[in-house]
Amino acid sequence: MKVANWGNYPVVDAEVRNFRNVDELREILENGSSLIARGLGRCYGDSSLNETIISTSKWKRILDFDRQTGKVKCEAGVSLDDILKVFVPRGWFPAVTPGTKFVTIGGAIASDVHGKSHHVTGSFSNYVDDITIMLSDGRILTCSKELNADLFWSTCGGMGLTGVILEATISLIPIETSYIIQEVVKTKNIGEIMTLFEESEAWTYSMAWIDCLATGESLGRSVMMRGEHAKHEDLLSDRSRKQPLTLHKESSLNVPFNFPSFTLNGLSMKAFNTLYYAKAPAQYKKSIVHYDPFFYPLDAVHNWNRIYGKRGFVQYQFVLPKENSREGLPAILRKISEHGKGSFLAVLKLFGPQETVISFPMEGYALALDFPITKNLFPFLDSLDEMVQYYGGRIYLTKDARMSAETFRNGYPHLGMFEKSRTKFDREQKFESLQSKRLGL
Amino acid sequence: MGRVLLIGAKSDVARALAHEFGAAGYDLILAARKSRELERDRADLMIRYNVGVQVEELDITDLEQLHTWYATLEPKPDTAISVVGLLGVQEEAQADWQSAKRAYETNLTGPALLLETIAADFEQRNEGTICGISSVAGERGRKSNYLYGSAKAGFSEYLSGLRNRLAKSNVHVVTVKPGFIDTKMTEGMPLPAPLTAQPEQVAKDIFKACMKKKNVIYTLWMWRWIMAIIRNIPEPIFKKLDL
Ligand SMILES: Cc1cc2nc3c(=O)[nH]c(=O)nc-3n(C[C@H](O)[C@H](O)[C@H](O)COP(=O)(O)OP(=O)(O)OC[C@H]3O[C@@H](n4cnc5c(N)ncnc54)[C@H](O)[C@@H]3O)c2cc1C
Ligand SMILES: NC(=O)c1ccc[n+]([C@@H]2O[C@H](COP(=O)([O-])OP(=O)(O)OC[C@H]3O[C@@H](n4cnc5c(N)ncnc54)[C@H](OP(=O)(O)O)[C@@H]3O)[C@@H](O)[C@H]2O)c1
């Protein structure tokens, strides 16, 4: 069966195995020699691809909920969409959420995902109380920050290479309403937006759309969105006050097939970027919006990735240490705008401090851009890799489909620790992905 | 709201049905063999939908016990859906008499006997919906699965007769004829994607058919027309086909 993740690159012919109980999973592990777990395939590249894939799509039950503490225990295939549907009406929300709700809890842990709140909440692993995992020899172990901590810290961000996550307990945060007080602020260039990020550190949520094609004085012009969960008294209309915890609606828009690859040429991207910037309000606008468009604007159109056509695209996301960002970010942006290949979805975030074994975030600026795959894209990305390394940054594994083993090693200084616990726990050395093989892991 | 009995509750289709009915507020009785596994489903369904869920052990080939099993089931459902089925491997069933027997008991004798007991209860109460999952495989026997197919054919005809018997009562009977479904039963088989339904889709169709009191539904819908063609191939030609 042909399988690809969100970027539609690479596409592999894989055997996809489901399990409905632990015995079935154990049997798959016994009979397999090179396996990787897969959730909803929202990583962009090859992290959850291999000749044999273990899908968690039949493993998605919610097992326990404590209405006093907001702790949820569930199987790894439960999605954030499920969590929202079940718990928002009861006044609970995931503390950390990526830009799409169609990810599984297993995937969120394995990538140790971050959201717009990283500078306040840290990454997903901060709200994971414990993880139960099946190792390659069929043993089932539970780990947490206290118990089997080495397994815990190499599983969070470990891209499925330690074993198959079976269950996890995560902590939700209480909300009074399902709405967000949002401020939209426009800035003229990269210097301004960085200053604004630093001034916005007290806001729980912040991110910016950045126009990667603007040049000169306007290099890095951006639109920041920052937000807080609205309290009951913040709601303006009677209707929303009466129903403060309304849920998101199922989206009905869909891109039914791959667009031909000429649709997204440089010109249309430039037009889109200019439009996006122009559409934003004059300088500043405050409003109350539902969580769905605030956190998940892209979920409104199912299969939007198909606009990049059959050849697919890659997302390039890197983070630079904060102290090097004032110099490094403009330099990298200049390189991208010179190249004229920037995407219309470029997102800038400021991470707070984090130093864990193999997770992506570190204190500094993170930029994510989409690039449709063209003939000379990869050499260009190699040259970006060099700049990222020069400024002491790293690239996000869950978005990656092409970086070299060397770039990877240079970016992740605690790799030795990861490899040590992987050797300890993946005794039979069965878990690997196309990505881990490419990166020499 | 009502209470739904799902017979064969561990199947992918039954699990999807449990979500469909649970979301609509129905209490659920999940009946299956090796039912302990369903304790997790019970927790899940209760947390998600705030409905009552009970798990019951049932082996549909335990023919002697089926009557007592239902008689002692408390509380009684007002909708009963038989999802059990066994595709098996035709060659094995041909070679092994026991295996052929199991195919008939699982697909026909067991479900029909159990539904017969339930029908008597529903008829007496003058309420309820009985739904049986049969198969398009029951519409024309072919060499690759005629043991399964003929059992399903029998089951379809059983449901047809039952519907006729209960037509004047307030009890409704739905026959469901799925084409291909992507489930444990068909895992690893190369099924044509456009003709293959996801269990969630099948469950939605079944839920709707029960609500709207449909008689016979095909899911996916195009199977109605595909089977019309297959039924009409003249036998002298059909018998030579490699199907
Ligand atoms: C539109 C969009 C926006 C996004 N925004 C963000 C963002 O803001 N921040 C962010 O951090 N990420 C973001 N992502 C990336 C996404 O959150 C991660 O890739 C996430 O891991 C995907 O989860 P998944 O369930 O789809 O897993 P998959 O994509 O299937 O797998 C991802 C990784 O998790 C592993 N894995 C999955 N399940 C298990 C399991 N049960 N046991 C062990 N390993 C497992 C896989 O092996 C693989 O390495 C975004 C993705 C999209 C498409
Ligand atoms: N999949 C298809 O393409 C397809 C097409 C047409 C019709 N159907 C029909 O759709 C229904 C659902 O099937 P499915 O696709 O979801 O496959 P499935 O998962 O194999 O479902 C069949 C269920 O029947 C149960 N069962 C078998 N023998 C039993 C017994 N002796 N006692 C109790 N339960 C028993 C099985 O229980 P265990 O889990 O314990 O084995 C299983 O849960 C079946 O009636 C099938 O014939 C399926």
Side-chain angles (χ1 to χ4, degrees), chain A residues 6 36-44 47-48 76 98-100 104 107 110-111 113-114 159-160 163 165 349 396 398:
Chain A
W6 196 244
I36 195 71
R38 184 166 186 261
L40 282 165
R42 254 46 177 210
C43 67
Y44 280 72
S47 314
S48 60
T100 172
T104 64
S111 300
V113 299
H114 58 265
M159 307 312 289
I165 300 168
K349 287 175 195 160
Y396 196 1
T398 210

PDB file of all heavy atoms in Angstrom, chain A residues 6 36-44 47-48 76 98-100 104 107 110-111 113-114 159-160 163 165 349 396 398, ligand 1:
ATOM      1  N   TRP A   6       2.293  14.121   5.588  1.00  0.00           N
ATOM      2  CA  TRP A   6       1.574  15.330   5.168  1.00  0.00           C
ATOM      3  C   TRP A   6       2.184  16.040   3.955  1.00  0.00           C
ATOM      4  O   TRP A   6       1.494  16.639   3.153  1.00  0.00           O
ATOM      5  CB  TRP A   6       1.454  16.294   6.357  1.00  0.00           C
ATOM      6  CG  TRP A   6       0.438  17.344   6.128  1.00  0.00           C
ATOM      7  CD1 TRP A   6       0.674  18.680   6.030  1.00  0.00           C
ATOM      8  CD2 TRP A   6      -0.978  17.175   5.955  1.00  0.00           C
ATOM      9  NE1 TRP A   6      -0.505  19.349   5.817  1.00  0.00           N
ATOM     10  CE2 TRP A   6      -1.529  18.451   5.765  1.00  0.00           C
ATOM     11  CE3 TRP A   6      -1.825  16.064   5.937  1.00  0.00           C
ATOM     12  CZ2 TRP A   6      -2.901  18.653   5.554  1.00  0.00           C
ATOM     13  CZ3 TRP A   6      -3.187  16.262   5.734  1.00  0.00           C
ATOM     14  CH2 TRP A   6      -3.696  17.540   5.542  1.00  0.00           C
ATOM     15  N   ILE A  36       8.056   0.761  12.415  1.00  0.00           N
ATOM     16  CA  ILE A  36       7.880   2.084  13.018  1.00  0.00           C
ATOM     17  C   ILE A  36       6.396   2.336  13.259  1.00  0.00           C
ATOM     18  O   ILE A  36       5.551   1.914  12.468  1.00  0.00           O
ATOM     19  CB  ILE A  36       8.496   3.208  12.144  1.00  0.00           C
ATOM     20  CG1 ILE A  36       8.642   4.510  12.940  1.00  0.00           C
ATOM     21  CG2 ILE A  36       7.693   3.450  10.870  1.00  0.00           C
ATOM     22  CD1 ILE A  36       9.713   4.486  14.003  1.00  0.00           C
ATOM     23  N   ALA A  37       6.086   3.010  14.358  1.00  0.00           N
ATOM     24  CA  ALA A  37       4.690   3.338  14.665  1.00  0.00           C
ATOM     25  C   ALA A  37       4.263   4.561  13.860  1.00  0.00           C
ATOM     26  O   ALA A  37       5.075   5.410  13.506  1.00  0.00           O
ATOM     27  CB  ALA A  37       4.530   3.621  16.156  1.00  0.00           C
ATOM     28  N   ARG A  38       2.964   4.620  13.581  1.00  0.00           N
ATOM     29  CA  ARG A  38       2.426   5.773  12.858  1.00  0.00           C
ATOM     30  C   ARG A  38       1.061   6.136  13.425  1.00  0.00           C
ATOM     31  O   ARG A  38       0.242   5.264  13.688  1.00  0.00           O
ATOM     32  CB  ARG A  38       2.302   5.452  11.369  1.00  0.00           C
ATOM     33  CG  ARG A  38       1.827   6.625  10.509  1.00  0.00           C
ATOM     34  CD  ARG A  38       2.064   6.298   9.027  1.00  0.00           C
ATOM     35  NE  ARG A  38       1.770   7.421   8.158  1.00  0.00           N
ATOM     36  CZ  ARG A  38       0.635   7.571   7.469  1.00  0.00           C
ATOM     37  NH1 ARG A  38      -0.317   6.672   7.571  1.00  0.00           N
ATOM     38  NH2 ARG A  38       0.452   8.621   6.693  1.00  0.00           N
ATOM     39  N   GLY A  39       0.847   7.424  13.607  1.00  0.00           N
ATOM     40  CA  GLY A  39      -0.452   7.901  14.079  1.00  0.00           C
ATOM     41  C   GLY A  39      -1.272   8.398  12.905  1.00  0.00           C
ATOM     42  O   GLY A  39      -1.643   7.636  12.019  1.00  0.00           O
ATOM     43  N   LEU A  40      -1.501   9.706  12.847  1.00  0.00           N
ATOM     44  CA  LEU A  40      -2.322  10.258  11.768  1.00  0.00           C
ATOM     45  C   LEU A  40      -1.481  10.792  10.604  1.00  0.00           C
ATOM     46  O   LEU A  40      -1.997  11.485   9.736  1.00  0.00           O
ATOM     47  CB  LEU A  40      -3.242  11.351  12.324  1.00  0.00           C
ATOM     48  CG  LEU A  40      -4.463  10.805  13.079  1.00  0.00           C
ATOM     49  CD1 LEU A  40      -5.137  11.893  13.903  1.00  0.00           C
ATOM     50  CD2 LEU A  40      -5.474  10.200  12.104  1.00  0.00           C
ATOM     51  N   GLY A  41      -0.191  10.511  10.617  1.00  0.00           N
ATOM     52  CA  GLY A  41       0.656  10.897   9.483  1.00  0.00           C
ATOM     53  C   GLY A  41       0.746  12.399   9.269  1.00  0.00           C
ATOM     54  O   GLY A  41       0.913  12.848   8.151  1.00  0.00           O
ATOM     55  N   ARG A  42       0.663  13.170  10.356  1.00  0.00           N
ATOM     56  CA  ARG A  42       0.761  14.634  10.220  1.00  0.00           C
ATOM     57  C   ARG A  42       2.200  15.131  10.342  1.00  0.00           C
ATOM     58  O   ARG A  42       2.421  16.330  10.321  1.00  0.00           O
ATOM     59  CB  ARG A  42      -0.122  15.314  11.256  1.00  0.00           C
ATOM     60  CG  ARG A  42      -1.389  15.921  10.694  1.00  0.00           C
ATOM     61  CD  ARG A  42      -2.093  15.000   9.773  1.00  0.00           C
ATOM     62  NE  ARG A  42      -3.349  15.560   9.288  1.00  0.00           N
ATOM     63  CZ  ARG A  42      -4.401  14.832   8.962  1.00  0.00           C
ATOM     64  NH1 ARG A  42      -4.341  13.513   9.071  1.00  0.00           N
ATOM     65  NH2 ARG A  42      -5.491  15.402   8.493  1.00  0.00           N
ATOM     66  N   CYS A  43       3.153  14.225  10.544  1.00  0.00           N
ATOM     67  CA  CYS A  43       4.514  14.681  10.373  1.00  0.00           C
ATOM     68  C   CYS A  43       4.654  14.884   8.864  1.00  0.00           C
ATOM     69  O   CYS A  43       3.882  14.352   8.078  1.00  0.00           O
ATOM     70  CB  CYS A  43       5.521  13.679  10.926  1.00  0.00           C
ATOM     71  SG  CYS A  43       5.604  12.126  10.062  1.00  0.00           S
ATOM     72  N   TYR A  44       5.593  15.684   8.460  1.00  0.00           N
ATOM     73  CA  TYR A  44       5.623  16.058   7.045  1.00  0.00           C
ATOM     74  C   TYR A  44       6.399  15.083   6.174  1.00  0.00           C
ATOM     75  O   TYR A  44       6.084  14.895   5.014  1.00  0.00           O
ATOM     76  CB  TYR A  44       6.210  17.463   6.896  1.00  0.00           C
ATOM     77  CG  TYR A  44       5.213  18.559   7.202  1.00  0.00           C
ATOM     78  CD1 TYR A  44       4.807  18.806   8.512  1.00  0.00           C
ATOM     79  CD2 TYR A  44       4.668  19.334   6.183  1.00  0.00           C
ATOM     80  CE1 TYR A  44       3.896  19.799   8.793  1.00  0.00           C
ATOM     81  CE2 TYR A  44       3.748  20.334   6.461  1.00  0.00           C
ATOM     82  CZ  TYR A  44       3.369  20.565   7.763  1.00  0.00           C
ATOM     83  OH  TYR A  44       2.457  21.545   8.030  1.00  0.00           O
ATOM     84  N   SER A  47       9.374  10.450   9.008  1.00  0.00           N
ATOM     85  CA  SER A  47       9.551   9.971  10.389  1.00  0.00           C
ATOM     86  C   SER A  47       8.724   8.729  10.688  1.00  0.00           C
ATOM     87  O   SER A  47       9.155   7.879  11.458  1.00  0.00           O
ATOM     88  CB  SER A  47       9.158  11.034  11.411  1.00  0.00           C
ATOM     89  OG  SER A  47       9.679  12.274  11.087  1.00  0.00           O
ATOM     90  N   SER A  48       7.534   8.620  10.135  1.00  0.00           N
ATOM     91  CA  SER A  48       6.718   7.442  10.471  1.00  0.00           C
ATOM     92  C   SER A  48       6.560   6.521   9.266  1.00  0.00           C
ATOM     93  O   SER A  48       5.564   5.839   9.123  1.00  0.00           O
ATOM     94  CB  SER A  48       5.355   7.853  11.034  1.00  0.00           C
ATOM     95  OG  SER A  48       4.630   8.621  10.102  1.00  0.00           O
ATOM     96  N   ALA A  76      -2.822   5.463  22.621  1.00  0.00           N
ATOM     97  CA  ALA A  76      -1.982   6.383  21.856  1.00  0.00           C
ATOM     98  C   ALA A  76      -2.631   6.911  20.580  1.00  0.00           C
ATOM     99  O   ALA A  76      -2.263   7.967  20.082  1.00  0.00           O
ATOM    100  CB  ALA A  76      -0.654   5.697  21.506  1.00  0.00           C
ATOM    101  N   PRO A  98      -0.359  21.624  18.842  1.00  0.00           N
ATOM    102  CA  PRO A  98       0.254  22.061  17.585  1.00  0.00           C
ATOM    103  C   PRO A  98      -0.782  22.742  16.696  1.00  0.00           C
ATOM    104  O   PRO A  98      -1.951  22.841  17.080  1.00  0.00           O
ATOM    105  CB  PRO A  98       0.747  20.766  16.961  1.00  0.00           C
ATOM    106  CG  PRO A  98      -0.131  19.704  17.514  1.00  0.00           C
ATOM    107  CD  PRO A  98      -0.525  20.162  18.890  1.00  0.00           C
ATOM    108  N   GLY A  99      -0.358  23.167  15.501  1.00  0.00           N
ATOM    109  CA  GLY A  99      -1.229  23.923  14.606  1.00  0.00           C
ATOM    110  C   GLY A  99      -2.271  23.096  13.870  1.00  0.00           C
ATOM    111  O   GLY A  99      -2.948  23.602  12.986  1.00  0.00           O
ATOM    112  N   THR A 100      -2.400  21.814  14.200  1.00  0.00           N
ATOM    113  CA  THR A 100      -3.494  21.004  13.675  1.00  0.00           C
ATOM    114  C   THR A 100      -4.001  20.122  14.803  1.00  0.00           C
ATOM    115  O   THR A 100      -3.223  19.688  15.656  1.00  0.00           O
ATOM    116  CB  THR A 100      -3.064  20.138  12.475  1.00  0.00           C
ATOM    117  OG1 THR A 100      -4.133  19.259  12.143  1.00  0.00           O
ATOM    118  CG2 THR A 100      -1.827  19.298  12.784  1.00  0.00           C
ATOM    119  N   THR A 104      -2.268  12.405  16.824  1.00  0.00           N
ATOM    120  CA  THR A 104      -2.563  11.484  17.921  1.00  0.00           C
ATOM    121  C   THR A 104      -1.727  11.864  19.147  1.00  0.00           C
ATOM    122  O   THR A 104      -0.719  12.569  19.042  1.00  0.00           O
ATOM    123  CB  THR A 104      -2.223  10.035  17.536  1.00  0.00           C
ATOM    124  OG1 THR A 104      -0.801   9.948  17.308  1.00  0.00           O
ATOM    125  CG2 THR A 104      -2.962   9.601  16.277  1.00  0.00           C
ATOM    126  N   GLY A 107       1.692  10.465  18.620  1.00  0.00           N
ATOM    127  CA  GLY A 107       2.495  11.320  17.743  1.00  0.00           C
ATOM    128  C   GLY A 107       2.939  12.593  18.451  1.00  0.00           C
ATOM    129  O   GLY A 107       4.074  13.051  18.286  1.00  0.00           O
ATOM    130  N   ALA A 110       5.777  11.513  20.699  1.00  0.00           N
ATOM    131  CA  ALA A 110       6.977  11.079  19.973  1.00  0.00           C
ATOM    132  C   ALA A 110       7.688  12.262  19.320  1.00  0.00           C
ATOM    133  O   ALA A 110       8.896  12.226  19.105  1.00  0.00           O
ATOM    134  CB  ALA A 110       6.615  10.027  18.933  1.00  0.00           C
ATOM    135  N   SER A 111       6.940  13.319  18.959  1.00  0.00           N
ATOM    136  CA  SER A 111       7.582  14.511  18.398  1.00  0.00           C
ATOM    137  C   SER A 111       7.781  15.579  19.477  1.00  0.00           C
ATOM    138  O   SER A 111       8.307  16.645  19.190  1.00  0.00           O
ATOM    139  CB  SER A 111       6.731  15.102  17.272  1.00  0.00           C
ATOM    140  OG  SER A 111       6.551  14.171  16.228  1.00  0.00           O
ATOM    141  N   VAL A 113       5.686  17.732  20.680  1.00  0.00           N
ATOM    142  CA  VAL A 113       5.243  18.906  19.926  1.00  0.00           C
ATOM    143  C   VAL A 113       5.155  20.147  20.805  1.00  0.00           C
ATOM    144  O   VAL A 113       5.042  20.067  22.033  1.00  0.00           O
ATOM    145  CB  VAL A 113       3.876  18.665  19.234  1.00  0.00           C
ATOM    146  CG1 VAL A 113       3.983  17.523  18.238  1.00  0.00           C
ATOM    147  CG2 VAL A 113       2.783  18.397  20.260  1.00  0.00           C
ATOM    148  N   HIS A 114       5.205  21.287  20.149  1.00  0.00           N
ATOM    149  CA  HIS A 114       5.086  22.581  20.838  1.00  0.00           C
ATOM    150  C   HIS A 114       3.904  23.320  20.236  1.00  0.00           C
ATOM    151  O   HIS A 114       3.457  23.009  19.125  1.00  0.00           O
ATOM    152  CB  HIS A 114       6.353  23.398  20.633  1.00  0.00           C
ATOM    153  CG  HIS A 114       6.641  23.615  19.180  1.00  0.00           C
ATOM    154  ND1 HIS A 114       7.508  22.794  18.470  1.00  0.00           N
ATOM    155  CD2 HIS A 114       6.153  24.504  18.286  1.00  0.00           C
ATOM    156  CE1 HIS A 114       7.534  23.199  17.209  1.00  0.00           C
ATOM    157  NE2 HIS A 114       6.723  24.220  17.058  1.00  0.00           N
ATOM    158  N   MET A 159      10.705  10.128  18.325  1.00  0.00           N
ATOM    159  CA  MET A 159      10.239   9.767  16.983  1.00  0.00           C
ATOM    160  C   MET A 159       9.944   8.274  16.819  1.00  0.00           C
ATOM    161  O   MET A 159      10.191   7.678  15.769  1.00  0.00           O
ATOM    162  CB  MET A 159      11.265  10.203  15.916  1.00  0.00           C
ATOM    163  CG  MET A 159      11.678  11.667  15.967  1.00  0.00           C
ATOM    164  SD  MET A 159      10.304  12.848  16.090  1.00  0.00           S
ATOM    165  CE  MET A 159       9.571  12.752  14.483  1.00  0.00           C
ATOM    166  N   GLY A 160       9.412   7.679  17.870  1.00  0.00           N
ATOM    167  CA  GLY A 160       8.966   6.287  17.774  1.00  0.00           C
ATOM    168  C   GLY A 160      10.093   5.276  17.814  1.00  0.00           C
ATOM    169  O   GLY A 160       9.858   4.080  17.596  1.00  0.00           O
ATOM    170  N   GLY A 163      10.047   2.463  20.994  1.00  0.00           N
ATOM    171  CA  GLY A 163       9.019   1.444  21.115  1.00  0.00           C
ATOM    172  C   GLY A 163       7.682   2.003  20.678  1.00  0.00           C
ATOM    173  O   GLY A 163       7.602   3.116  20.174  1.00  0.00           O
ATOM    174  N   ILE A 165       4.274   3.472  21.783  1.00  0.00           N
ATOM    175  CA  ILE A 165       3.546   4.050  22.911  1.00  0.00           C
ATOM    176  C   ILE A 165       2.144   3.450  22.901  1.00  0.00           C
ATOM    177  O   ILE A 165       1.450   3.493  21.883  1.00  0.00           O
ATOM    178  CB  ILE A 165       3.469   5.583  22.797  1.00  0.00           C
ATOM    179  CG1 ILE A 165       4.880   6.177  22.785  1.00  0.00           C
ATOM    180  CG2 ILE A 165       2.621   6.174  23.920  1.00  0.00           C
ATOM    181  CD1 ILE A 165       4.923   7.643  22.382  1.00  0.00           C
ATOM    182  N   LYS A 349       7.954  31.775  15.750  1.00  0.00           N
ATOM    183  CA  LYS A 349       7.616  31.660  17.167  1.00  0.00           C
ATOM    184  C   LYS A 349       8.850  31.939  17.989  1.00  0.00           C
ATOM    185  O   LYS A 349       9.973  31.719  17.523  1.00  0.00           O
ATOM    186  CB  LYS A 349       7.162  30.232  17.500  1.00  0.00           C
ATOM    187  CG  LYS A 349       5.789  29.868  16.975  1.00  0.00           C
ATOM    188  CD  LYS A 349       5.488  28.394  17.245  1.00  0.00           C
ATOM    189  CE  LYS A 349       4.306  27.964  16.406  1.00  0.00           C
ATOM    190  NZ  LYS A 349       4.206  26.522  16.213  1.00  0.00           N
ATOM    191  N   TYR A 396      13.825  20.587  12.912  1.00  0.00           N
ATOM    192  CA  TYR A 396      12.791  19.774  13.568  1.00  0.00           C
ATOM    193  C   TYR A 396      12.619  18.445  12.817  1.00  0.00           C
ATOM    194  O   TYR A 396      12.260  18.427  11.641  1.00  0.00           O
ATOM    195  CB  TYR A 396      11.481  20.564  13.554  1.00  0.00           C
ATOM    196  CG  TYR A 396      10.389  20.078  14.486  1.00  0.00           C
ATOM    197  CD1 TYR A 396      10.561  18.982  15.339  1.00  0.00           C
ATOM    198  CD2 TYR A 396       9.166  20.751  14.527  1.00  0.00           C
ATOM    199  CE1 TYR A 396       9.544  18.573  16.185  1.00  0.00           C
ATOM    200  CE2 TYR A 396       8.143  20.349  15.382  1.00  0.00           C
ATOM    201  CZ  TYR A 396       8.339  19.248  16.205  1.00  0.00           C
ATOM    202  OH  TYR A 396       7.322  18.858  17.043  1.00  0.00           O
ATOM    203  N   THR A 398      10.350  16.150  12.983  1.00  0.00           N
ATOM    204  CA  THR A 398       9.016  15.753  12.534  1.00  0.00           C
ATOM    205  C   THR A 398       8.606  16.469  11.247  1.00  0.00           C
ATOM    206  O   THR A 398       7.631  16.093  10.609  1.00  0.00           O
ATOM    207  CB  THR A 398       7.967  15.942  13.656  1.00  0.00           C
ATOM    208  OG1 THR A 398       6.933  14.985  13.488  1.00  0.00           O
ATOM    209  CG2 THR A 398       7.352  17.334  13.645  1.00  0.00           C
TER     210      THR A 398
HETATM  211  C1  LIG C   1      -0.869  21.692   9.593  1.00  0.00           C
HETATM  212  C2  LIG C   1       0.129  21.181  10.575  1.00  0.00           C
HETATM  213  C3  LIG C   1       0.536  21.999  11.608  1.00  0.00           C
HETATM  214  C4  LIG C   1       1.457  21.552  12.543  1.00  0.00           C
HETATM  215  N1  LIG C   1       1.835  22.383  13.556  1.00  0.00           N
HETATM  216  C5  LIG C   1       2.732  21.973  14.465  1.00  0.00           C
HETATM  217  C6  LIG C   1       3.118  22.808  15.546  1.00  0.00           C
HETATM  218  O1  LIG C   1       2.631  23.921  15.678  1.00  0.00           O
HETATM  219  N2  LIG C   1       4.020  22.335  16.450  1.00  0.00           N
HETATM  220  C7  LIG C   1       4.534  21.073  16.357  1.00  0.00           C
HETATM  221  O2  LIG C   1       5.318  20.696  17.219  1.00  0.00           O
HETATM  222  N3  LIG C   1       4.198  20.256  15.340  1.00  0.00           N
HETATM  223  C8  LIG C   1       3.315  20.675  14.404  1.00  0.00           C
HETATM  224  N4  LIG C   1       2.948  19.828  13.379  1.00  0.00           N
HETATM  225  C9  LIG C   1       3.537  18.481  13.321  1.00  0.00           C
HETATM  226  C10 LIG C   1       2.739  17.428  14.093  1.00  0.00           C
HETATM  227  O3  LIG C   1       2.252  17.954  15.295  1.00  0.00           O
HETATM  228  C11 LIG C   1       3.650  16.260  14.445  1.00  0.00           C
HETATM  229  O4  LIG C   1       4.261  15.756  13.293  1.00  0.00           O
HETATM  230  C12 LIG C   1       2.922  15.103  15.157  1.00  0.00           C
HETATM  231  O5  LIG C   1       3.882  14.219  15.664  1.00  0.00           O
HETATM  232  C13 LIG C   1       2.008  14.341  14.221  1.00  0.00           C
HETATM  233  O6  LIG C   1       1.315  13.349  14.938  1.00  0.00           O
HETATM  234  P1  LIG C   1       0.688  12.074  14.206  1.00  0.00           P
HETATM  235  O7  LIG C   1      -0.240  11.428  15.154  1.00  0.00           O
HETATM  236  O8  LIG C   1       0.145  12.472  12.894  1.00  0.00           O
HETATM  237  O9  LIG C   1       1.950  11.138  14.051  1.00  0.00           O
HETATM  238  P2  LIG C   1       2.741  10.658  12.740  1.00  0.00           P
HETATM  239  O10 LIG C   1       2.937  11.821  11.851  1.00  0.00           O
HETATM  240  O11 LIG C   1       2.106   9.452  12.197  1.00  0.00           O
HETATM  241  O12 LIG C   1       4.133  10.262  13.411  1.00  0.00           O
HETATM  242  C14 LIG C   1       4.999  11.234  13.926  1.00  0.00           C
HETATM  243  C15 LIG C   1       6.074  10.561  14.767  1.00  0.00           C
HETATM  244  O13 LIG C   1       5.466   9.999  15.927  1.00  0.00           O
HETATM  245  C16 LIG C   1       5.771   8.618  16.016  1.00  0.00           C
HETATM  246  N5  LIG C   1       4.622   7.950  16.620  1.00  0.00           N
HETATM  247  C17 LIG C   1       3.302   8.098  16.302  1.00  0.00           C
HETATM  248  N6  LIG C   1       2.549   7.316  17.096  1.00  0.00           N
HETATM  249  C18 LIG C   1       3.385   6.655  17.929  1.00  0.00           C
HETATM  250  C19 LIG C   1       3.209   5.679  18.951  1.00  0.00           C
HETATM  251  N7  LIG C   1       1.999   5.232  19.320  1.00  0.00           N
HETATM  252  N8  LIG C   1       4.316   5.206  19.596  1.00  0.00           N
HETATM  253  C20 LIG C   1       5.545   5.646  19.263  1.00  0.00           C
HETATM  254  N9  LIG C   1       5.778   6.563  18.294  1.00  0.00           N
HETATM  255  C21 LIG C   1       4.703   7.060  17.631  1.00  0.00           C
HETATM  256  C22 LIG C   1       6.082   8.184  14.609  1.00  0.00           C
HETATM  257  O14 LIG C   1       6.914   7.035  14.583  1.00  0.00           O
HETATM  258  C23 LIG C   1       6.772   9.406  14.048  1.00  0.00           C
HETATM  259  O15 LIG C   1       8.127   9.406  14.393  1.00  0.00           O
HETATM  260  C24 LIG C   1       2.009  20.251  12.429  1.00  0.00           C
HETATM  261  C25 LIG C   1       1.591  19.414  11.392  1.00  0.00           C
HETATM  262  C26 LIG C   1       0.664  19.867  10.464  1.00  0.00           C
HETATM  263  C27 LIG C   1       0.225  18.949   9.367  1.00  0.00           C
END
